[in-house]
Amino acid sequence: MSKIWIMIAKRLGLGVLTLFAISIIIFLATELLPGDLARSILGQSATEETVAAFQRELGLDQPAHVRYAQWLWGAVQGDFGTSLANRRPIADLIGTRLANTMFLAIYAAAIAVPLSLILGIMAALFRNTWFDRGANAVALSAISFPEFFVAYILIFVLAQSGLFPSMARIDSTTTFADALYKTFLPALTLTLVVTAHMMRMTRAAIINLLASPYIEMAQLKGMPPARIILVHALPNALAPIITVIALNLAYLITGVVVVEAVFVYPGLGQLMVDSVSKRDIPVVQAVALIFAAAYVLLNLLADVLATLSNPRLIHPK
Amino acid sequence: MSETDKPVLLRMRDIHIDGRTEEGWQPIIKGVDLTLHKGEVLGLIGESGAGKSTLGLAAMGYTRDGCRITGGSIEFDGIDLVKATERTRRSLRGRRIAYVAQSAAASFNPAHRLIDQYVEGPVVHRVMSRQEAERDAVELYRRMRLPNPEEIGFRYPHQVSGGQLQRAMTAMAMSCRPDLIVFDEPTTALDVTTQIEVLAAIRDIVAQFDTAAIYITHDLAVVAQMADRIKVLLRGEEVEEADTRTMLSSPREEYTRSLWAVRSHVSPAKPRPAPDAVPVVSVRAVTAGYGRMDVLHNVNFDIHRRRTVAVVGESGSGKSTTARVITGLLPPRQGQILFDGQPLPPDYRQRTREQLRQIQMIYQMADTALNPKLRLRDLIGRPARMYLGLKGKALEERVRELLRLIELEPNEFIDRLPSELSGGQKQRVGIARALAAEPRFVICDEVTSALDQLVAEGILKLLDRLQGELDLSYMFITHDLATVRAIADDVVVMQNGRVVEQGPKDDMFRPPHDPYTELLLSSVPEMDPDWLTRLLAEREKGKAGAAADA
Amino acid sequence: MEVLTTLFWIAVAVSVGMAAGWLFLRVLATALPGRAGRVFRSAPISAGFGMLVILIYLLVAILAPAIAPFSEREVVGGQFLPWDATHLLGTDNLGRDMFSRLVYGARNTVGIAFVTTALAFLLGSVLGLLAAAVGGWLDQVLSRVVDVLMAIPALVFSLLLLTIFGTSVVTLILVIAVIDSTRVFRLARSVGMNIVVMDFIEAARLRGEGLFHLIVREILPNASAPLIAEFGLRFCFVFLTISALSFLGLGIQPPTADWGSMVKENAVLITFGDITPLLPAGCIALLTVAVNFVVDWMLHRASGLKE
């Protein structure tokens, strides 16, 4: 057993290292700013005094490594500094929005993961039939659609008739059931986009597996098809399926940005887009760090689970 | 022993099977009849592409993806498998007809223990309860002479060696006491010394339970030990069929006779080198390995001018690593390589172009040794252009000359891609590419082991002829002792990274031997149908003798 | 009832698309001689459809000034005019001709995406194949850098970089190309790795061939099939990313006609039941579907007849 734990420990260590490297990149990106950050934000008309005062406020008079250390130390404790646009603490801005975005992502994943696994396994089982070809063509098309196209089609079809609201405005007073209803369209948009990817990848992973000699052996032992899938294919498909799920949940992170913009949903993606147009750099950095951390952690989790599902590693020689 | 008075178990009539290719459906099996009686073992033999496996699987009413049965009937104990429902076929598979695959390592499910995979058949087919099946497994593991039969079933496939897995798979096939087992090249992936044990175990268990079997192989000597009758296939058609002894002593057809005669080529003996002659290549006290592990330990041998040194050993013995040290791909930890008595730089990147030119290599898999996107003109022309500075007309003429040397018609072949060649032709191109550099020393790494026997024979003859014409010295890496007998002047036997014995071929094939050489030599199957029986008896006697001595 | 009509029109569109794809394949198969013709004869209808659509987009992009009745930036009438004979698809939020902007959009959006992909590809595949061929510390350094860059989601990373460098077309192209080249690097390296372990590469090394010959003559020809397919997939990805950024107002900037920003500018109409703003989005979707269909076919061919 010890070998497998060493592998997992190594993977965790690598994850921490990656997070560290990402924080450096996100921090250093602002250092690459052409010209002077303060001047580019305040505009050409600013006087020397205002620029100097602003620089002091941002701590720009200190060397980069000191500022990085302060920023990282703050970020670890949940303090990302203050927004340039409205001078509020960034942590306050992020708080509820992070929860909202997670709610939307989990909502979408809860529909998408089971749906796409079932569709993917079915497409693999009935491969090269009309069902498979049809599902494949639809999935390929869905992958090709920009998220906002899917979103507007859904609005056009489902919100026009008044079935669902086209704006997902929720706040602290919204009940859970109401939130589910109001965010149905954004969640459905994400589901459609992600399901197509996940279904295709699941199908490919299973078909790849069904070509193994041990599956043929099971067939030649006269095993019924359901048993072949459940007992022979599935235990070996765990690792690829876990990878597929993690990859697509990570993909949700990107999708959420556009979908939130379409449905005016008060989430992190919306905040990031707003801050980018206002060039509110500390906020963009904070949100980017959160998205990247979520992405890294998801991949980390998937790797660890995939390692744990490998019989060769669980039962060493 | 006549089998024909026993009742018929399986009768295939005029079977046609098609396979899907890029040009549509192409016939694989073109109307073969096959009859098998209860308790009889039929050997199916043929070269690659003969359709042996396809026919063997059809005996179970099974075709692989991309294949379909287009005509004929398969009658198993009164049931037509072609017309039967999938349900009926499934109820027969595993229970009355079982299968043993070529690669046990790939055919056991890596996620389950051996015993779980064993009991699955009997339990799902309702032949035994789980407890009965588990007890039975131990009994069969014992009969298959597996070590620790009580315990081995509780291991996962990756925890068990290849030879043991193959025996465990045979036990699994036996689990429902089927009437028929299809063995699909069960020992091809094994080393010769391991093969013996598996062959003996399979033969015994089939005899004990009076199970009928179809034994598929490309190895004549193996089929001679196992089968009562032999059927020869060629490109999806039957060549002939007869009982084993008749087939071996007096084959009717020309093709069968050519198969039998394949191993007749023996290169003429050459005079031994003078004691003071400087060898072309000397391997001096080489110790080498990967990472922290040593694969070679103090390896020494010489290769003299115009001689062929065969380096023999089983997988993992260090043969190929030795070649990598000589070519400079793997610089040794200790020791050196001498060329004409002068030391070569250990790393190929430090060798001069002239030094690189002198040592050329021919690979086992011609498929991966030739760049699939280059035409023969460029494949063969490149070394001539690089080393000898040939250009334009002179280069073209040289390529044509080399093609003629390897017996390929230049006008027809010069602009072909490797994918437009047969396996034997690809290997010839590999030879031509090596010769284009005009080397003095050529390493041949298992050059014939991926080829059919007739084709391999042609390659060996070609190499033999070229040696005389072009003044070449060969190092021949092989695990096949028949090849050694055919072409070698000197033999180096390796085991676990050490040279256990070396000397001229005639001395090597004459006792007394080093014990490992003895084991290796005696394990090579012979065409005599009684060989396995005799060998096992001798080894038994040897063991008893040793016990008596102690 | 409305659902049925929609379904009917979808069915009509699919059948017309299939027929056109089939016809296009027949034309190609008869027009091209020998091997090339045979390849197209066995191609699936979806691939034929895809190739036809790509061809049409190319023609529209090249001939944009000849096709468009108005210029891309000119205000030619009132805001949000409905469809009529002069303004085939009406006008947009500023009174510019929608159809003309759609035609010019083919040139701008597709052109920028193509340049970006080409750049990403050049950078990624050269470094990827180099890492595979040279190995050792070069490979280690490049791979670790790419690992870290890839650990940041692409859209989030590009948003961050665009905040800093501003949103001009040149920065847009450079930022997306660099981020995307990491994905190309990954693929090129792994394809290269599979080739590098083959015996013919060992033979070439032992022959004393230089790095340039090794990459250009021995590795590249064998990596071309997966790399071309990857080019198609990358193009779709870049195209969608740029459209998404433009839609968010952070990509291609007005008044340049661009499909992503056109959706954003006119999105209000959707709530009034007007599908005009969906047209540019549809143009994006159609092209990506087409490219995906062609790539799918190419990948299937490259993998032989497995499955």
Side-chain angles (χ1 to χ4, degrees):
Chain A
M1 276 312 253
S2 66
K3 197 175 158 198
I4 193 169
W5 294 119
I6 293 173
M7 280 184 70
I8 289 174
K10 272 188 184 164
R11 186 66 190 80
L12 288 175
L14 196 66
V16 172
L17 217 63
T18 311
L19 274 177
F20 190 63
I22 288 173
S23 74
I24 294 181
I25 290 177
I26 290 177
F27 180 80
L28 276 188
T30 52
E31 300 293 313
L32 295 173
L33 192 68
D36 192 346
L37 175 69
R39 188 163 290 286
S40 79
I41 288 167
L42 292 174
Q44 290 301 322
S45 57
T47 62
E48 285 302 319
E49 288 86 70
T50 37
V51 170
F54 190 63
Q55 279 185 331
R56 250 195 318 283
E57 189 193 328
L58 289 182
L60 287 178
D61 48 348
Q62 289 172 344
H65 64 268
V66 175
R67 278 180 291 128
Y68 171 69
Q70 288 170 349
W71 177 72
L72 190 65
W73 182 238
V76 170
Q77 295 167 311
D79 172 18
F80 293 93
T82 48
S83 152
L84 293 181
N86 53 19
R87 304 295 162 102
R88 287 173 55 196
I90 295 173
D92 292 357
L93 290 173
I94 288 177
T96 49
R97 286 167 181 265
L98 178 60
N100 285 349
T101 294
M102 280 179 69
F103 171 76
L104 184 57
I106 292 171
Y107 190 3
I111 309 174
V113 171
L115 182 69
S116 50
L117 288 187
I118 291 169
L119 284 175
I121 292 174
M122 275 172 67
L125 270 186
F126 305 115
R127 61 182 180 282
N128 298 329
T129 62
W130 63 267
F131 171 79
D132 178 35
R133 281 172 218 272
N136 205 33
V138 170
L140 205 53
S141 307
I143 289 169
S144 313
F145 288 3
E147 286 100 348
F148 55 87
F149 187 41
V150 178
Y152 280 126
I153 290 179
L154 289 179
I155 290 180
F156 189 75
V157 177
L158 293 178
Q160 269 291 301
S161 46
L163 272 176
F164 291 96
S166 66
M167 299 235 179
R169 291 223 169 93
I170 61 169
D171 52 45
S172 52
T173 61
T174 320
T175 62
F176 182 70
D178 201 27
L180 283 184
Y181 171 70
K182 283 189 168 167
T183 55
F184 180 71
L185 287 188
L188 188 60
T189 308
L190 285 173
T191 301
L192 284 178
V193 174
V194 173
T195 301
H197 270 286
M198 234 190 296
M199 187 213 113
R200 267 170 73 85
M201 290 164 81
T202 308
R203 173 185 181 273
I206 303 254
I207 284 183
N208 200 6
L209 206 75
L210 290 181
S212 336
Y214 56 79
I215 297 293
E216 177 171 80
M217 192 69 209
Q219 287 172 326
L220 290 173
K221 277 161 77 182
M223 294 301 121
R227 188 180 167 88
I228 290 178
I229 293 291
L230 293 176
V231 177
H232 289 274
L234 221 50
N236 293 292
L238 279 182
I241 287 178
I242 290 170
T243 313
V244 168
I245 292 176
L247 219 66
N248 286 283
L249 293 187
Y251 183 82
L252 274 179
I253 294 173
T254 320
V256 122
V257 176
V258 176
V259 171
E260 286 183 1
V262 174
F263 291 96
V264 204
Y265 181 79
L268 272 189
Q270 184 69 283
L271 177 67
M272 186 170 195
V273 172
D274 286 347
S275 308
V276 172
S277 29
K278 289 181 205 151
R279 303 194 74 181
D280 191 346
I281 289 172
V283 179
V284 175
Q285 279 180 323
V287 179
L289 191 65
I290 291 174
F291 276 140
Y295 193 79
V296 169
L297 290 178
L298 264 174
N299 282 319
L300 194 64
L301 188 69
D303 273 7
V304 170
L305 287 178
T307 311
L308 284 174
S309 75
N310 185 341
R312 280 168 219 266
L313 292 173
I314 307 175
H315 311 283
K317 283 196 181 186
Chain B
M1 179 172 66
S2 167
E3 298 283 347
T4 37
D5 24 293
K6 289 195 176 178
V8 170
L9 181 65
L10 174 78
R11 195 189 296 278
M12 299 168 92
R13 282 204 190 89
D14 196 28
I15 282 294
H16 289 260
I17 299 175
D18 284 2
R20 193 164 49 207
T21 69
E22 228 163 321
E23 273 94 48
W25 292 93
Q26 299 282 333
I28 299 176
I29 301 290
K30 307 161 190 166
V32 173
D33 296 317
L34 185 152
T35 307
L36 188 66
H37 300 89
K38 286 211 161 125
E40 186 189 24
V41 178
L42 173 73
L44 267 187
I45 190 155
E47 307 191 313
S48 54
K52 312 182 289 283
S53 290
T54 312
L55 190 64
L57 287 170
M60 308 182 71
Y62 179 88
T63 49
R64 292 209 164 112
D65 265 1
C67 291
R68 62 176 188 198
I69 298 175
T70 51
S73 65
I74 304 164
E75 210 172 281
F76 175 80
D77 205 17
I79 308 160
D80 187 341
L81 296 181
V82 178
K83 294 206 184 82
T85 61
E86 186 57 31
R87 206 185 175 76
T88 313
R89 284 197 288 251
R90 211 186 301 138
S91 74
L92 290 174
R93 287 181 198 146
R95 188 169 60 93
R96 299 199 56 198
I97 318 175
Y99 180 74
V100 175
Q102 173 169 357
S103 166
S107 298
F108 268 115
N109 192 324
H112 301 294
R113 294 176 301 181
L114 296 183
I115 194 119
D116 294 329
Q117 302 190 48
Y118 179 99
V119 300
E120 185 178 30
V123 171
V124 171
H125 289 300
R126 296 171 196 282
V127 178
M128 291 177 215
S129 72
R130 195 183 159 96
Q131 286 73 23
E132 287 170 324
E134 278 185 15
R135 263 197 306 277
D136 190 51
V138 174
E139 172 59 24
L140 278 186
Y141 289 155
R142 183 172 292 123
R143 290 203 194 198
M144 289 305 291
R145 287 173 228 136
L146 279 165
N148 303 324
E150 311 276 349
E151 179 267 333
I152 195 164
F154 293 93
R155 294 199 212 161
Y156 283 85
H158 66 274
Q159 299 169 320
V160 179
S161 76
Q164 294 177 7
L165 269 187
Q166 202 58 267
R167 278 180 276 168
M169 179 173 286
T170 307
M172 183 165 83
M174 274 293 173
S175 61
C176 294
R177 303 294 184 276
D179 302 296
L180 167 64
I181 301 186
V182 178
F183 291 95
D184 193 352
E185 307 245 16
T187 62
T188 306
L190 304 176
D191 280 326
V192 271
T193 50
T194 322
Q195 172 173 264
I196 295 287
E197 301 163 19
V198 178
L199 286 180
I202 290 179
R203 200 176 65 166
D204 289 356
I205 205 152
V206 165
Q208 278 169 23
F209 292 109
D210 199 26
T211 314
I214 295 179
Y215 196 100
I216 299 166
T217 177
H218 67 279
D219 191 330
L220 289 163
V222 165
V223 86
Q225 312 309 315
M226 307 302 285
D228 303 318
R229 259 189 315 142
I230 297 178
K231 183 195 274 296
V232 183
L233 289 182
L234 174 65
R235 288 187 220 103
E237 281 170 295
E238 177 181 322
V239 177
E240 65 175 307
E241 184 185 314
D243 76 84
T244 302
R245 276 165 208 281
T246 320
M247 183 73 100
L248 289 172
S249 54
S250 49
R252 261 191 341 267
E253 299 293 323
E254 185 59 38
Y255 174 73
T256 317
R257 268 199 291 277
S258 74
L259 277 181
W260 268 225
V262 141
R263 295 307 173 84
S264 56
H265 171 78
V266 176
S267 60
K270 295 165 203 148
R272 298 198 177 180
D276 57 342
V278 178
V280 178
V281 170
S282 298
V283 179
R284 284 286 157 81
V286 163
T287 297
Y290 306 94
R292 249 173 274 160
M293 259 241 312
D294 278 346
V295 178
L296 298 180
H297 310 273
N298 192 24
V299 171
N300 282 287
F301 60 90
D302 293 334
I303 298 150
H304 283 273
R305 193 174 153 219
R306 277 209 187 198
R307 286 182 80 82
T308 300
V309 174
V311 179
V312 200
E314 298 184 295
S315 52
S317 61
K319 314 180 292 269
S320 294
T321 308
T322 309
R324 290 176 69 81
V325 171
I326 296 177
T327 55
L329 282 167
L330 180 72
R333 269 193 246 288
Q334 283 161 35
Q336 56 184 351
I337 305 298
L338 305 183
F339 191 89
D340 276 345
Q342 300 300 313
L344 283 175
D347 190 325
Y348 75 95
R349 278 168 288 211
Q350 288 146 12
R351 293 185 187 173
T352 64
R353 194 167 267 205
E354 186 58 18
Q355 285 170 332
L356 289 174
R357 182 179 72 81
Q358 299 288 8
I359 301 179
Q360 292 292 318
M361 179 129 177
I362 305 170
Y363 294 84
Q364 172 177 11
M365 307 297 293
D367 276 320
T368 64
L370 304 177
N371 185 337
K373 300 287 173 181
L374 294 183
R375 299 189 181 278
L376 300 200
R377 173 193 298 281
D378 299 319
L379 275 172
I380 302 175
R382 181 69 192 169
R385 175 197 286 264
M386 245 184 104
Y387 294 128
L388 311 170
L390 296 181
K391 284 195 194 76
K393 260 229 136 73
L395 181 65
E396 160 127 15
E397 201 29 64
R398 177 66 183 148
V399 172
R400 286 173 178 275
E401 194 183 318
L402 284 163
L403 281 173
R404 278 191 289 274
L405 207 58
I406 55 167
E407 294 152 17
L408 294 181
E409 169 52 40
N411 288 331
E412 195 187 333
F413 283 93
I414 194 162
D415 281 315
R416 285 208 194 176
L417 290 169
S419 55
E420 296 160 339
L421 303 176
S422 70
Q425 288 168 341
K426 278 181 208 163
Q427 198 53 285
R428 281 168 191 262
V429 172
I431 295 172
R433 179 176 64 183
L435 297 181
E438 303 190 359
R440 291 189 38 221
F441 174 60
V442 178
I443 299 175
C444 305
D445 188 356
E446 302 270 11
V447 287
T448 54
S449 60
L451 301 172
D452 284 325
Q453 299 186 28
L454 277 175
V455 182
E457 168 95 354
I459 297 284
L460 291 184
K461 279 186 182 152
L462 174 69
L463 285 169
D464 211 19
R465 201 194 80 213
L466 292 170
Q467 181 165 49
E469 287 174 17
L470 303 172
D471 196 15
L472 296 169
S473 309
Y474 292 143
M475 172 171 143
F476 226 92
I477 296 172
T478 183
H479 67 276
D480 178 21
L481 286 161
T483 309
V484 176
R485 225 172 239 136
I487 196 162
D489 300 309
D490 304 290
V491 183
V492 174
V493 183
M494 292 188 74
Q495 185 196 16
N496 299 333
R498 288 191 170 79
V499 175
V500 291
E501 195 171 4
Q502 60 177 309
K505 173 173 67 176
D506 300 340
D507 298 355
M508 295 297 298
F509 284 104
R510 210 178 296 137
H513 304 293
D514 166 271
Y516 177 71
T517 314
E518 171 69 41
L519 179 68
L520 204 60
L521 284 177
S522 68
S523 299
V524 179
E526 287 167 21
M527 291 287 245
D528 175 0
D530 301 322
W531 166 79
L532 182 61
T533 319
R534 214 172 48 228
L535 176 79
L536 291 172
E538 269 169 28
R539 285 194 181 170
E540 207 51 46
K541 212 162 65 193
K543 247 186 249 165
D549 286 348
Chain C
M1 216 37 229
E2 202 172 312
V3 177
L4 280 183
T5 349
T6 318
L7 281 181
F8 171 74
W9 283 114
I10 290 177
V12 168
V14 168
S15 346
V16 169
M18 282 172 71
W22 182 81
L23 217 63
F24 186 62
L25 280 180
R26 290 292 104 181
V27 171
L28 279 181
T30 34
L32 292 171
R35 240 182 76 85
R38 262 213 309 284
V39 168
F40 288 115
R41 198 160 302 145
S42 63
I45 290 173
S46 60
F49 172 74
M51 286 187 280
L52 180 64
V53 169
I54 294 172
L55 187 70
I56 293 173
Y57 272 66
L58 273 180
L59 288 178
V60 170
I62 294 167
L63 303 174
I67 297 173
F70 299 96
S71 105
E72 101 187 73
R73 300 175 182 189
E74 190 187 351
V75 175
V76 292
Q79 297 170 4
F80 295 134
L81 289 181
W83 299 10
D84 64 26
T86 343
H87 303 294
L88 284 177
L89 301 175
T91 58
D92 69 359
N93 60 331
L94 297 178
R96 294 168 296 192
D97 183 57
M98 198 70 188
F99 177 68
S100 303
R101 282 179 69 73
L102 215 50
V103 169
Y104 276 102
R107 191 177 255 198
N108 301 329
T109 316
V110 178
I112 289 172
F114 186 81
V115 170
T116 311
T117 315
L119 209 60
F121 221 74
L122 200 68
L123 194 63
S125 55
V126 166
L127 289 180
L129 293 181
L130 200 65
V134 176
W137 63 267
L138 181 75
D139 180 33
Q140 283 299 318
V141 170
L142 286 175
S143 297
R144 290 297 81 76
V145 169
V146 164
D147 280 350
V148 171
L149 291 181
M150 280 184 70
I152 308 174
L155 188 68
V156 171
F157 201 12
S158 43
L159 283 176
L160 176 73
L161 292 182
L162 287 175
T163 321
I164 291 155
F165 295 112
T167 47
S168 74
V169 169
V170 177
T171 50
L172 184 71
I173 289 177
L174 289 178
V175 162
I176 308 241
V178 168
I179 292 175
D180 241 60
S181 67
T182 56
R183 275 77 180 166
V184 181
F185 173 88
R186 263 287 171 86
L187 179 98
R189 180 179 172 275
S190 82
V191 170
M193 282 295 187
N194 284 338
I195 298 170
V196 161
V197 294
M198 301 253 234
D199 289 336
F200 68 84
I201 299 292
E202 185 183 302
R205 286 192 206 271
L206 285 179
R207 211 186 300 141
E209 299 283 9
L211 191 60
F212 183 78
H213 174 95
L214 216 56
I215 291 179
V216 174
R217 294 285 287 163
E218 308 280 351
I219 301 178
L220 197 58
N222 292 291
S224 57
L227 284 181
I228 289 171
E230 175 70 6
F231 187 88
L233 291 179
R234 274 298 117 203
F235 173 79
C236 291
F237 195 81
V238 166
F239 189 52
L240 289 176
T241 309
I242 290 183
S243 303
L245 286 172
S246 303
F247 172 78
L248 295 173
L250 306 167
I252 302 170
Q253 296 298 315
T256 310
D258 159 73
W259 291 337
S261 30
M262 283 166 74
V263 177
K264 181 75 171 178
E265 287 157 12
N266 302 296
V268 260
L269 284 182
I270 294 173
T271 35
F272 298 110
D274 186 337
I275 61 151
T276 315
L278 288 182
L279 290 178
C283 287
I284 299 168
L286 187 60
L287 181 58
T288 12
V289 171
V291 174
N292 265 324
F293 276 161
V294 176
V295 168
D296 211 39
W297 169 56
M298 280 165 54
L299 286 177
H300 192 76
R301 263 174 58 81
S303 69
L305 289 167
K306 291 174 200 161
E307 282 189 30

